[in-house]
Amino acid sequence: MKRRMLRMMASAGLAVAALPLAAPVAAATAPMLAMSIERLDPALDAVIAPETRIERVATGFTFTEGPMWRQGKLWFSDVQDDKLRTVTPDGKVQVLLNNSGGLPNHPKGANIGSNAMATAKDGSVLMMQMGARRIVRLDDHLGIHPFLSTYKGKRLNSPNDLVFARDGSLWFTDPPFGLFNGMDKDPAKELPFNGVFRYDHGKLEAVIIDMTLPNGIGFSPDGKTLYVSNYGPDMYVRAYSVGPNGKLSHPHTLIHYPPNSGDGGPDGLKVDMAGNLWSSGPGGIRIITPKGKVLGQIKLPEVAANIAFAGDGHVVYITGSTSIYRLRSKVAGELPLYRR
């Protein structure tokens, strides 16, 4: 993210860890890339084979986010360029939508493009529009249809990440990143909190309202644990027990990131079938057991924002600022409830 994001956070009173600038294409295409998998515990070998290499699939973007595997391609958002793109396994890139964030005449460099996406039960795609502050549905012809934009008559902040639970309910985070005139201090902000929401059978409920910048979200394979990352200023991933009808209890911090522990912050997360959390955070992607033990860390030459498991679940894509990266895992990732 760029200096504008830093100014926004400062004006909103958020003393978060420094966010790196999006690297120019020339830097991103340098021949020597600092990519590595740091083994912090021998148990990592059961998740990622020791000889595993990280590949850079495509590069030259502004800030990549919201990856989703669909119909043999990786769909992803180029947030600051305000585009929805796809990339094939062999690196062919296509623009599906311009102005994917839904905000006309947007400020250049602002984080107002589209973000996370998920395939819905009917096969359509639900997409977060940070600029327009809503969730929309994309049909098979990429037509955009309104889905969710308000809670109790007030506009959402800037929907960010989403996931379907095993019971078919939709859960999503709503930080203020798309409010580019000061985030929480933006006069356009209508909600008094930055929440996590659950949508089921036409009812939208705010289930978490005490996190400053809720961001990534995911469930354990059995659906009994919810994970939510908090981008800052206090950087952590919190876990909740999930009961009937989505009732949350027993919140606890799974991992806490100390200040100055690397570039970036707790952003997107995914869970593998062994229950390990793959969480972006300062300095890269950490693989964390359900008990909170860090097994290893995937380090890239730029900030890693989010993760998607693809194919049979053993292919891992990472959106890393200006580039898309890929590696293989021994443990299959948890695939979305609905997929194409």
Side-chain angles (χ1 to χ4, degrees):
M1 295 185 185
K2 296 189 176 183
R3 286 191 177 89
R4 183 178 182 87
M5 192 66 170
L6 291 171
R7 292 197 298 269
M8 287 162 48
M9 290 188 169
S11 65
L14 298 174
V16 299
L19 297 173
L21 304 182
V25 175
T29 56
M32 298 300 292
L33 294 176
M35 301 184 291
S36 65
I37 301 172
E38 184 178 7
R39 181 178 181 262
L40 301 175
D41 188 280
L44 181 68
D45 293 351
V47 182
I48 303 175
E51 69 276 8
T52 298
R53 293 186 177 183
I54 304 168
E55 307 170 79
R56 189 183 62 188
V57 180
T59 192
F61 312 113
T62 60
F63 194 84
T64 62
E65 253 284 17
M68 174 188 68
W69 186 252
R70 182 177 170 90
Q71 298 174 327
K73 298 178 182 179
L74 187 77
W75 292 39
F76 66 97
S77 296
D78 196 349
V79 175
Q80 293 174 359
D81 204 24
D82 199 18
K83 288 179 173 57
L84 170 63
R85 303 179 189 267
T86 63
V87 61
T88 61
D90 60 353
K92 293 183 175 63
V93 178
Q94 179 183 3
V95 175
L96 294 186
L97 282 176
N98 290 301
N99 188 218
S100 60
L103 187 68
N105 304 316
H106 66 276
K108 187 175 181 180
N111 295 286
I112 49 71
S114 55
N115 202 313
M117 293 161 280
T119 298
K121 186 176 182 179
D122 64 359
S124 64
V125 172
L126 295 184
M127 183 180 74
M128 309 307 231
Q129 287 191 317
M130 296 174 66
R133 301 167 61 183
R134 63 181 183 172
I135 305 175
V136 296
R137 186 187 296 276
L138 303 181
D139 61 31
D140 286 343
H141 303 288
L142 299 178
I144 298 175
H145 308 275
F147 183 72
L148 286 174
S149 60
T150 61
Y151 172 68
K152 293 185 176 180
K154 297 183 182 296
R155 292 187 67 188
L156 297 174
N157 297 318
S158 177
N160 188 285
D161 208 349
L162 76 169
V163 64
F164 280 100
R166 290 163 63 97
D167 63 3
S169 59
L170 176 69
W171 297 62
F172 66 93
T173 58
D174 187 39
F177 293 128
L179 296 171
F180 51 86
N181 289 317
M183 296 207 301
D184 283 334
K185 294 184 178 182
D186 193 318
K189 182 178 168 68
E190 297 182 15
L191 291 174
F193 58 85
N194 300 319
V196 177
F197 291 88
R198 179 178 186 264
Y199 180 76
D200 189 34
H201 293 95
K203 180 183 178 182
L204 183 61
E205 178 185 8
V207 292
I208 302 172
I209 60 172
D210 65 341
M211 300 179 78
T212 53
L213 294 174
N215 203 318
I217 187 169
F219 287 95
S220 60
D222 62 8
K224 294 181 179 180
T225 304
L226 171 72
Y227 299 104
V228 184
S229 62
N230 192 69
Y231 193 87
D234 192 17
M235 299 185 292
Y236 58 83
V237 176
R238 190 185 288 173
Y240 297 82
S241 296
V242 184
N245 300 314
K247 182 175 177 57
L248 300 180
S249 61
H250 304 101
H252 64 278
T253 299
L254 182 73
I255 182 174
H256 186 269
Y257 298 95
N260 304 316
S261 53
D263 291 333
D267 201 330
L269 60 85
K270 294 295 184 292
V271 185
D272 67 27
M273 293 305 296
N276 300 306
L277 192 72
W278 295 56
S279 175
S280 63
I285 304 289
R286 287 169 178 78
I287 292 86
I288 310 161
T289 71
K291 299 294 185 181
K293 186 174 186 178
V294 180
L295 302 181
Q297 185 170 348
I298 300 170
K299 296 183 176 182
L300 302 177
E302 47 193 335
V303 171
N306 215 329
I307 309 105
F309 291 110
D312 61 359
H314 291 276
V315 181
V316 186
Y317 281 92
I318 300 172
T319 54
S321 295
T322 68
S323 307
I324 303 294
Y325 297 88
R326 180 176 59 206
L327 68 149
R328 290 195 62 85
S329 64
K330 292 178 68 176
V331 175
E334 184 181 7
L335 296 175
L337 180 66
Y338 309 117
R339 51 190 182 271
R340 271 192 175 183

